[in-house]
Amino acid sequence: MQRYCFSDNRANFLGIFFIFPWFLYIFFALLLLFLLICTNFTPMLTTKTKAIVLRTVKYGEGGLVVDMLTEKMGRVSFMVKLPRSRKKGIHKQLFMPLSLVEVDFDFRAKASLQRLRDIRMAVPLTGIALHPHKLALAMFLAEFLLHATRDENDNEPLFGFVSISLEWLEGVESGFANFHLIFMIRLSRFIGFFPNTDGASEGKYFDLLGACFTSAPPLHGYFLAPEEAAKISLLMRLNYKTMHLCAMTRAERNRCTEVILEYYRLHVPGFPALRSLEVLRQLFA
């Protein structure tokens, strides 16, 4: 009788020996999960993507806050720590406005500022940086994109359009005075409020709020008279290769710029007056 009791006790002991560790594993796993939730842990997603620099702001000693438009994740802001030595780490020259770069970072969904792991030049735009008129256009468009794309998430077609446009501006030698006008008009297609050109004809008004052409002026007051509406209608039909055919004086070009910016203010909440506009007004006499 005692032998059978001894066997039963040994069996119970061996059962506990094999089963008990699994309870420990489960317990500690649940405990770890609980602690992570309580500390607002945000899982990281390692990401590699192309990006366009929009704005750089100094932060503390040797730090930068950089706003970028990325190909895979739309708008992302980064905290960057610049090295004291120019020979090591990340170089400040990579963060010039509208630089086309590639970035590696660990994305945290709940973090307002991401941290770069690596950054490198994707397409050098030295032709823009060394040309006064192109550089002024780039500074203006960087500020424009900063506000126009503020709420954009993953929008690869939009990123592709901006990237191709910058590479076109980099390579062209002349005939780009209307570049920013065509760029801004065509960008609206990717954001979702490209004007409806149906019914565009001589004598029509352009409803800035309704984004369409009308036979009579709308009651809300945001519209273009037929003469200016015809100019905007022409710009809608042009592209980078044909835009030089639309000859304008500086005053006419500046007026078209103001109209397009007003159009964006009506369709993008919080779109502000652009500081770089005044410099742009002085170009292309």
Side-chain angles (χ1 to χ4, degrees), residues 17-199:
F17 178 79
F18 286 109
I19 295 173
F20 186 68
W22 292 105
F23 281 106
L24 281 179
Y25 299 148
I26 295 173
F27 171 77
F28 283 117
L30 292 174
L31 179 62
L32 178 60
L33 179 62
F34 174 76
L35 291 175
L36 293 177
I37 294 174
C38 290
T39 56
N40 292 321
F41 172 79
T42 304
M44 294 187 299
L45 175 65
T46 301
T47 303
K48 178 179 179 180
T49 181
K50 294 180 180 179
I52 299 169
V53 178
L54 301 182
R55 179 178 64 176
T56 301
V57 179
K58 291 183 178 180
Y59 183 84
E61 288 283 337
L64 298 174
V65 174
V66 185
D67 294 302
M68 297 188 188
L69 177 66
T70 69
E71 182 178 31
K72 294 183 179 179
M73 309 196 79
R75 284 290 298 275
V76 181
S77 297
F78 295 93
M79 172 64 72
V80 180
K81 189 70 175 178
L82 295 176
R84 295 183 179 180
S85 173
R86 295 183 179 181
K87 297 181 180 179
K88 298 180 180 180
I90 297 173
H91 298 285
K92 189 176 181 180
Q93 290 77 6
L94 293 168
F95 301 105
M96 295 293 291
L98 296 188
S99 292
L100 286 169
V101 297
E102 291 181 347
V103 296
D104 298 341
F105 64 101
D106 294 323
F107 179 75
R108 295 177 180 269
K110 294 184 180 180
S112 59
L113 293 174
Q114 310 297 330
R115 292 191 177 273
L116 280 177
R117 296 177 60 187
D118 191 25
I119 180 171
R120 54 208 165 271
M121 190 65 69
V123 180
L125 299 178
T126 53
I128 293 177
L130 298 176
H131 194 294
H133 286 179
K134 289 184 180 181
L135 183 59
L137 282 174
M139 298 294 288
F140 169 78
L141 292 177
E143 185 182 7
F144 166 78
L145 284 169
L146 177 71
H147 300 291
T149 65
R150 181 178 52 206
D151 298 324
E152 292 299 312
N153 295 317
D154 53 336
N155 191 335
E156 292 191 20
L158 182 148
F159 181 90
F161 166 75
V162 177
S163 179
I164 291 172
S165 297
L166 294 178
E167 292 184 47
W168 187 92
L169 182 61
E170 166 71 14
V172 72
E173 295 182 358
S174 61
F176 55 87
N178 295 332
F179 175 82
H180 60 296
L181 303 178
I182 306 302
F183 179 90
M184 291 190 292
I185 288 176
R186 288 186 171 268
L187 185 80
S188 66
R189 183 186 300 276
F190 299 93
I191 299 178
F193 49 85
F194 185 77
N196 183 355
T197 58
D198 293 343

